[in-house]
């Protein structure tokens, strides 16, 4: 190693043994890397030790180091927080980076004011404000804010109420968007009662809000204030619409913040689910890059410090996929937090949902990168070259096999042209026989039926058949193609665990580069076929659950079961509905609605 500059060597000789943060700089004074240390002296000097050469990243970093700056703090926990702040400030090239790192907007309720407002802000220093967010999806923020404005008459002015006083209300009053507290036409108590409902809504407690609105509507109707009752009825309809979307899942009960995690080489994604009363009310995420030499537990620590610690509205329970690098240090930063790495039960189901979201976002990131590469060149040519095919695989099919909770087996098949799915060519094949039928036989049957149908209809065959699986599934598909009289069609399989590509007649797999357009193309079509199969099985499972529960109810036949499924989406949705909501459906009466709820309550 070359001799260090004299000025740098002097600094290394006089380093403190206290905890703190160090900043490596180049000759131009640019910050290359920010790190934390329990003892600055030993940690900083370790970069120039003999064994540091084992790290390629450190070798490259050390070659560019010309200076170091250190900041001493009182504790290791403070060093962790300071490191995070300095990384955000300087964005050094050698640190783990958040993709699209920026200050995301939040919704603020200014509870410190007598007449609070509901604002969108990137500042977190409004006195007495309660924050919801930050929202990485601005469209979701706008939708949430629009619903609040539709449901509640929250003032939009910036008046300092009640100190400032207007002579007449603004336009919002005349269009029903405000009840004019600025001229004294709405009391503080009534206004703050409404704001309490807004906070409940933003926290995800829409069931409680629905109950309050329904009670107020009935009370207004009882005193013959029909105009007020009509407004409350409209609010209730809006709440019912937003309380039944497919995107909101109910998994058990209780409150938790749940962290999902997925990684693909140098990239990773963290997902933060906010679970309140068992309902997922929000999802935030963070993409990370430049992770070549970082372990998963270190990345999780970075995610928690960088994205979770600053979050508003955290709850006591934090559910994690695995322990972060330094739990003791993080517990010092978050002393009230209960750390949980579950293996079963409700928390495990929450975690599975968060991990599923993380994997989905990682696939989206991969597809986004794939499309960037695709613009630079057609990946089907690269795939044909890498696989040694005689023709460019412009048309491909992908076969995925899935089992619906051991009941039956379904084969999903999607046709792709130039790497893009053809919506008219999504096929499902129900495999007859026991639900535990092995994947090899299922693959054989799907390929046989598909090729036979193409032959009977006189339609062209694909240039390539891709099977989701390993050697066994590939062998079954090759046997089916040979039996169908089409042995010339190229067939490969893609094994997901190591992303290995298997070809007929080859003992060893092909390992394509993780960044290659060929592998990304195969992953994309495999993931789309799998998504299609999972979505179909989920739909069938939901239908079977609600159908089986309703079979024993007199007066509820197939048509009425279908209506209930379409309206409420699930058995839980039917159970949580009111008799009036069920009775409002075509073909239902109040008496039948009461019977349905009574029988379901006993199940």
């Amino acid at each position: 190693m070359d001799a260090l500059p004299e000025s740098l060597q002097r600094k290394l000789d006089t380093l403190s043994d206290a905890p703190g943060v160090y900043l490596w700089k180049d000759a131009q004074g640019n910050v290359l890397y920010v790190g934390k240390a329990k003892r600055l002296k030993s940690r900083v000097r370790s970069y120039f030790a003999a064994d540091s050469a084992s790290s390629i990243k450190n070798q490259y970093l050390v070659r560019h180091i010309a200076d170091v700056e250190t900041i001493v703090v009182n504790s290791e926990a403070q060093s962790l927080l300071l490191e995070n702040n300095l990384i955000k400030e300087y964005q050094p090239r050698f640190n783990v980076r958040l993709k699209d790192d920026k200050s995301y907007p939040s919704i603020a309720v200014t509870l410190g004011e007598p007449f609070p407002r509901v604002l969108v802000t990137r500042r977190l220093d409004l006195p007495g404000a309660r924050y919801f967010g930050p929202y990485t999806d601005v469209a979701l923020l706008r939708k949430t804010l629009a619903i609040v404005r539709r449901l509640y008459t929250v003032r939009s002015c910036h008046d300092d109420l009640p100190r400032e006083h207007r002579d007449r209300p603004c336009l919002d009053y005349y269009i029903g968007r405000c009840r004019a507290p600025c001229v004294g036409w709405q009391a503080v108590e009534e206004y703050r009662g409404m704001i309490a409902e807004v906070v409940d809504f933003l926290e995800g407690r829409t069931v409680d809000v629905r109950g309050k609105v329904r009670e107020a509507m009935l009370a207004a109707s009882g005193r013959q204030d029909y105009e007020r009752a009509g407004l409350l009825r409209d609010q209730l309809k809006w709440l019912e619409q937003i309380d039944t979307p497919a995107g909101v899942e109910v998994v058990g009960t209780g409150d938790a913040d749940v962290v999902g995690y997925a990684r693909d080489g140098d990239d990773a994604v963290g997902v933060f689910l906010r679970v309140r009363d068992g309902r997922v009310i929000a999802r935030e995420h963070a993409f990370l890059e430049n992770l070549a030499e970082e372990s998963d537990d270190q990345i999780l620590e970075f995610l928690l410090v960088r994205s979770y610690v600053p979050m508003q509205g955290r709850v006591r329970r934090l559910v994690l996929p695995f322990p972060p690098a330094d739990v003791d240090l993080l517990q010092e930063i978050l002393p009230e937090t209960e750390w949980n790495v579950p293996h079963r039960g409700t928390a495990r189901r929450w975690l599975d949902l968060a991990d599923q979201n993380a994997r989905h976002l990682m696939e989206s990131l991969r597809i986004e990168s794939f499309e960037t590469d695709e613009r630079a060149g057609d990946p089907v040519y690269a795939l044909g070259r890498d696989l040694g095919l005689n023709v460019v695989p412009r048309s491909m099919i992908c076969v995925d096999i899935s089992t619906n909770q051991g009941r039956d087996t379904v084969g999903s098949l999607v046709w792709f042209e130039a790497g893009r799915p053809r919506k008219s060519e999504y096929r499902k094949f129900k495999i007859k026989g026991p639900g535990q039928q092995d994947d090899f036989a299922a693959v054989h049957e799907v390929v046989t039926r598909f090729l036979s149908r193409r032959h009977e209809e006189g339609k062209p065959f694909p240039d390539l058949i891709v099977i989701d699986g390993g050697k066994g599934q590939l062998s079954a598909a090759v046997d089916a193609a040979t039996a169908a009289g089409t042995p010339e069609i190229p067939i490969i399989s893609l094994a997901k665990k190591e992303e290995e590509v298997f070809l007929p007649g080859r003992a060893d797999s092909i390992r394509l580069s993780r960044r290659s357009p060929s592998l990304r193309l195969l992953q994309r079509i495999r993931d789309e076929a799998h998504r299609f199969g999972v979505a179909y099985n989920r739909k069938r499972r939901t239908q079977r659950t609600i159908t089986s529960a309703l079979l024993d109810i007199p007066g509820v036949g197939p048509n009425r079961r279908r209506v209930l499924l379409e309206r409420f989406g699930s058995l839980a949705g039917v159970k949580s509905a009111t008799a009036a909501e069920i009775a409002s459906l075509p073909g239902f009466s109040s008496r039948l609605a009461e019977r349905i709820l009574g029988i379901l309550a006993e199940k």
Side-chain angles (χ1 to χ4, degrees):
M1 182 179 295
D2 297 336
L4 298 177
E6 184 178 347
S7 60
L8 176 58
Q9 186 63 60
R10 283 199 304 268
K11 288 188 176 181
L12 296 180
D13 292 339
T14 58
L15 287 170
S16 169
D17 265 332
V21 172
Y22 56 93
L23 297 84
W24 289 124
K25 297 182 179 181
D26 62 15
Q28 289 74 42
N30 300 313
V31 176
L32 299 172
Y33 182 81
V34 176
K36 69 179 187 303
K38 190 173 183 179
R39 283 184 286 272
L40 280 169
K41 186 172 185 176
S42 58
R43 180 70 184 101
V44 172
R45 292 171 66 91
S46 71
Y47 280 80
F48 304 98
D51 58 358
S52 68
S54 61
S55 169
I56 296 176
K57 177 180 175 181
N58 273 3
Q59 290 179 42
Y60 193 72
L61 171 62
V62 168
R63 282 203 299 267
H64 289 77
I65 288 175
D67 193 13
V68 65
E69 177 184 344
T70 59
I71 304 174
V72 174
V73 295
N74 293 325
S75 68
E76 192 179 0
Q78 290 181 5
S79 71
L80 184 60
L81 295 177
L82 178 58
E83 176 198 36
N84 171 53
N85 292 335
L86 293 175
I87 290 173
K88 287 197 287 187
E89 175 70 23
Y90 293 108
Q91 299 187 15
R93 60 184 295 195
F94 287 97
N95 281 99
V96 173
R97 293 189 298 270
L98 285 174
K99 291 175 70 70
D100 300 323
D101 189 20
K102 56 189 174 183
S103 176
Y104 291 108
S106 298
I107 292 178
V109 182
T110 59
L111 297 176
E113 301 174 345
F115 291 90
R117 294 166 292 154
V118 180
L119 310 172
V120 176
T121 180
R122 295 180 189 272
R123 296 171 48 197
L124 301 179
D125 57 355
L126 298 174
R130 173 75 184 278
Y131 295 93
F132 299 89
Y135 286 81
T136 55
D137 185 347
V138 177
L140 176 61
L141 179 146
R142 290 173 178 165
K143 180 180 178 182
T144 302
L145 198 61
I147 292 173
V148 170
R149 303 259 189 239
R150 180 69 181 257
L151 288 174
Y152 302 101
T153 55
V154 179
R155 70 185 181 101
S156 60
C157 64
H158 296 277
D159 297 352
D160 184 8
L161 301 182
R163 190 175 63 84
E164 296 180 359
H165 201 276
R166 295 192 183 198
D167 295 328
R168 58 180 183 178
C170 67
L171 179 62
D172 280 357
Y173 171 77
Y174 295 102
I175 62 175
R177 292 291 180 87
C178 181
R179 301 187 66 189
C182 58
V183 294
W185 293 354
Q186 187 175 24
V188 172
E189 294 78 12
E190 182 185 2
Y191 188 93
R192 293 194 72 92
M194 175 188 66
I195 290 295
E197 290 188 10
V198 172
V199 171
D200 284 345
F201 170 77
L202 292 173
E203 288 180 340
R205 292 197 288 271
T206 54
V207 175
D208 296 342
V209 175
R210 282 174 60 187
K212 293 177 182 177
V213 173
R214 183 178 288 109
E215 290 175 5
M217 179 185 69
L218 295 175
S221 177
R223 61 177 182 267
Q224 298 184 351
D225 185 355
Y226 298 119
E227 181 178 358
R228 176 65 176 159
L231 291 173
L232 292 167
R233 178 201 59 207
D234 294 341
Q235 287 188 8
L236 191 58
K237 288 181 179 179
W238 267 83
L239 283 168
E240 289 169 351
Q241 290 176 20
I242 62 176
D243 204 28
T244 56
V248 178
E249 292 215 27
V250 178
V251 185
T253 58
D255 296 346
D257 293 326
V258 187
V259 181
Y261 176 79
R263 182 177 183 178
D264 182 16
D266 294 349
D267 302 317
V269 62
V271 166
F272 303 91
L273 295 184
R274 297 175 185 264
V275 179
R276 303 297 183 264
D277 294 329
R279 183 181 299 275
V280 178
I281 66 166
R283 186 202 75 182
E284 304 298 329
H285 68 272
F287 286 117
L288 300 99
E289 58 185 4
N290 198 29
L291 306 175
E293 298 183 9
E294 305 293 339
S295 63
D296 288 334
D297 60 348
Q298 290 172 326
I299 297 171
L300 182 58
E301 177 185 293
F302 180 86
L303 273 169
L304 293 174
V305 174
R306 191 68 181 276
S307 299
Y308 181 67
V309 170
M311 280 186 181
Q312 298 289 321
R314 299 190 308 267
V315 294
R316 188 177 184 87
R317 190 179 189 188
L318 178 63
V319 178
L320 299 171
F322 47 84
D326 196 330
V327 177
D328 294 337
L329 190 58
L330 288 168
Q331 285 179 332
E332 189 174 342
I333 297 173
L334 299 169
E336 302 299 324
T337 300
E338 293 179 357
W339 305 75
N340 187 3
V341 181
H343 298 287
R344 62 180 66 86
T346 299
R348 181 69 237 184
R349 293 164 62 199
W350 286 335
L351 187 58
D352 288 342
L353 184 62
D355 283 344
Q356 178 184 343
N357 275 266
R359 288 192 299 271
H360 169 73
L361 288 169
M362 180 53 67
E363 299 297 342
S364 299
L365 176 64
R366 193 159 56 192
I367 289 172
E368 178 183 325
S369 301
F370 161 80
E371 289 175 345
T372 301
D373 291 340
E374 187 180 31
R375 286 192 287 270
D378 194 338
V380 296
Y381 284 99
L383 180 62
R385 181 184 63 250
D386 290 342
L387 298 181
L389 303 180
N390 296 325
V391 296
V392 177
R394 294 195 174 278
S395 61
M396 294 174 275
I397 67 165
C398 185
V399 176
D400 174 82
I401 304 299
S402 57
T403 301
N404 189 357
Q405 293 185 341
R407 295 173 178 267
D408 45 33
T409 304
V410 174
S412 304
L413 185 149
V414 180
W415 183 290
F416 296 82
E417 288 286 350
R420 300 188 180 279
R422 289 171 52 179
K423 296 301 182 183
S424 60
E425 293 288 348
Y426 283 63
R427 296 286 182 265
K428 299 182 294 290
F429 295 87
K430 298 179 182 178
I431 311 300
K432 296 180 180 179
Q436 298 296 336
Q437 181 169 313
D438 64 72
D439 287 355
F440 306 153
V443 168
H444 189 283
E445 183 170 342
V446 169
V447 174
T448 298
R449 289 164 63 179
F450 169 75
L451 294 176
S452 299
R453 183 178 298 176
R454 302 296 289 189
H455 181 73
E456 292 172 5
E457 298 173 352
K459 293 183 178 180
F461 295 105
D463 298 324
L464 177 67
I465 296 176
V466 180
I467 307 297
D468 181 9
K471 287 184 178 180
Q473 287 86 347
L474 175 63
S475 178
V478 171
D479 291 344
T482 302
T486 55
E488 70 282 358
I489 298 179
I491 304 176
I492 67 168
S493 67
L494 178 63
K496 190 162 189 176
K497 184 175 182 181
E498 299 294 337
E499 302 293 36
E500 299 173 277
V501 178
F502 293 95
L503 278 71
R506 288 188 52 155
D508 298 327
S509 63
I510 295 177
R511 296 293 186 95
L512 300 174
S513 167
R514 302 283 289 188
R515 298 276 182 182
S516 72
S518 300
L519 180 59
R520 286 176 173 160
L521 175 58
L522 292 176
Q523 289 170 329
R524 180 181 181 182
I525 68 175
R526 185 269 314 280
D527 293 343
E528 177 61 16
H530 181 68
R531 182 205 63 78
F532 174 58
V534 169
Y536 174 70
N537 274 334
R538 184 181 297 119
K539 179 179 178 182
R540 296 188 68 204
R541 187 163 58 247
T542 300
Q543 291 174 332
R544 181 160 48 237
T545 299
I546 190 170
T547 299
S548 61
L550 299 174
L551 279 176
D552 299 332
I553 301 179
V556 179
N559 290 335
R560 284 176 173 158
R561 287 196 294 271
R562 177 180 54 78
V563 170
L564 287 170
L565 177 61
E566 291 175 351
R567 173 61 180 85
F568 299 106
S570 66
L571 182 62
V574 177
K575 287 182 175 180
S576 64
T578 64
E581 290 170 337
I582 297 176
S584 66
L585 300 176
F588 288 80
S589 64
S590 298
R591 185 175 180 182
L592 179 56
E594 295 288 354
R595 183 193 308 158
I596 292 172
L597 292 176
I599 293 177
L600 290 181
E602 298 174 357
K603 289 183 178 291

